[in-house]
């Protein structure tokens, strides 16, 4: 029984990958709205039932592709120390964005910026802000004043 479950998981992963690759190929030639489900499943070599078992819409496929790309990039950042490896982090990010430029461009073209924005926000919150928030209150010097935003001539900046 366990072998059957594993086989089904692998089969679903192959189906999803075929559909995703086929959609990306079709997007090179046509707009998303002009791509039909029939055309997509034919190119992917899967049935309509297999499509609907895995996705509700073409937009959901794109969302899945974008989320996978984002997850791959952010997961790889786990190996960096942001206090000591910041330069390497930026180099890595620029290289990955270059590799994923096609996917990121599609995300912007089809108004999925919210996914990119959310991923960046979540990443920064989890990796950079949360550890600072965990500092004990005693680590803040008594009498500490908030930073003042002043210009060099002393006037307050907006």
């Amino acid at each position: 029984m366990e072998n059957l479950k594993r086989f089904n998981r692998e089969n679903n992963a192959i189906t999803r990958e075929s559909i995703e690759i086929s959609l990306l190929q079709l997007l090179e030639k046509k707009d998303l709205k002009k791509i039909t489900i029939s055309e997509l499943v034919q190119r992917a070599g899967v049935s309509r039932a297999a499509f609907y078992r895995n996705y509700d819409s073409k937009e959901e496929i794109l969302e899945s592709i974008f989320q996978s790309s984002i997850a791959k990039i952010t997961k790889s950042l786990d190996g960096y120390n942001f206090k000591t490896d910041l330069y390497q982090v930026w180099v890595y990010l620029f290289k990955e964005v270059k590799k994923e430029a096609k996917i990121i461009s599609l995300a912007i073209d089809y108004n999925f910026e919210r996914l990119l924005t959310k991923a960046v926000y979540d990443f920064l919150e989890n990796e950079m802000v949360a550890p600072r928030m965990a500092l004990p209150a005693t680590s803040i010097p008594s009498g500490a004043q908030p930073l003042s935003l002043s210009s060099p001539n002393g006037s307050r900046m907006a």
Side-chain angles (χ1 to χ4, degrees):
M1 186 63 145
E2 190 60 39
N3 285 340
L4 181 59
K5 287 180 183 178
R6 190 186 68 209
F7 174 77
N8 286 339
R9 282 192 304 270
E10 290 171 358
N11 197 25
N12 279 345
I14 291 168
T15 299
R16 289 178 68 88
E17 185 177 358
S18 295
I19 292 169
E20 290 174 1
I21 290 169
S22 296
L23 182 62
L24 291 173
Q25 291 170 342
L26 289 168
L27 284 170
E28 291 177 1
K29 299 174 185 170
K30 322 173 126 174
D31 188 64
L32 182 66
K33 291 178 182 175
K34 294 182 179 179
I35 297 171
T36 65
I37 300 298
S38 296
E39 181 179 22
L40 178 58
V41 298
Q42 181 180 4
R43 183 170 194 107
V46 300
S47 67
R48 288 179 73 86
F51 173 86
Y52 286 110
R53 240 191 332 269
N54 288 281
Y55 299 104
D56 291 327
S57 67
K58 297 175 289 187
E59 292 78 12
E60 186 181 342
I61 301 167
L62 281 177
E63 188 169 333
S64 174
I65 293 168
F66 303 146
Q67 287 176 334
S68 294
S69 291
I70 292 166
K72 182 174 68 172
I73 292 170
T74 56
K75 181 153 178 56
S76 296
L77 287 171
D78 289 344
Y80 290 100
N81 179 329
F82 283 82
K83 291 182 180 180
T84 60
D85 301 333
L86 197 52
Y87 175 78
Q88 288 86 355
V89 167
W90 281 108
V91 169
Y92 168 79
L93 283 173
F94 288 133
K95 286 180 179 180
E96 289 303 307
V97 167
K98 183 178 178 183
K99 283 186 212 171
E100 299 292 329
K102 180 178 168 184
I103 303 294
I104 293 169
S105 178
L106 283 171
I108 293 166
D109 290 348
Y110 291 100
N111 300 313
F112 282 97
E113 295 97 339
R114 65 178 165 72
L115 294 176
L116 298 172
T117 302
K118 183 181 180 329
V120 170
Y121 178 82
D122 289 348
F123 177 78
L124 291 174
E125 186 176 58
N126 291 335
E127 297 296 325
M128 301 181 87
V129 176
R132 289 186 192 142
M133 291 174 64
L135 292 173
T138 57
S139 67
I140 301 171
S142 63
Q145 297 294 317
L147 292 175
S148 173
L149 297 176
S150 308
S151 65
N153 65 9
S155 63
R156 186 137 176 97
M157 291 175 32

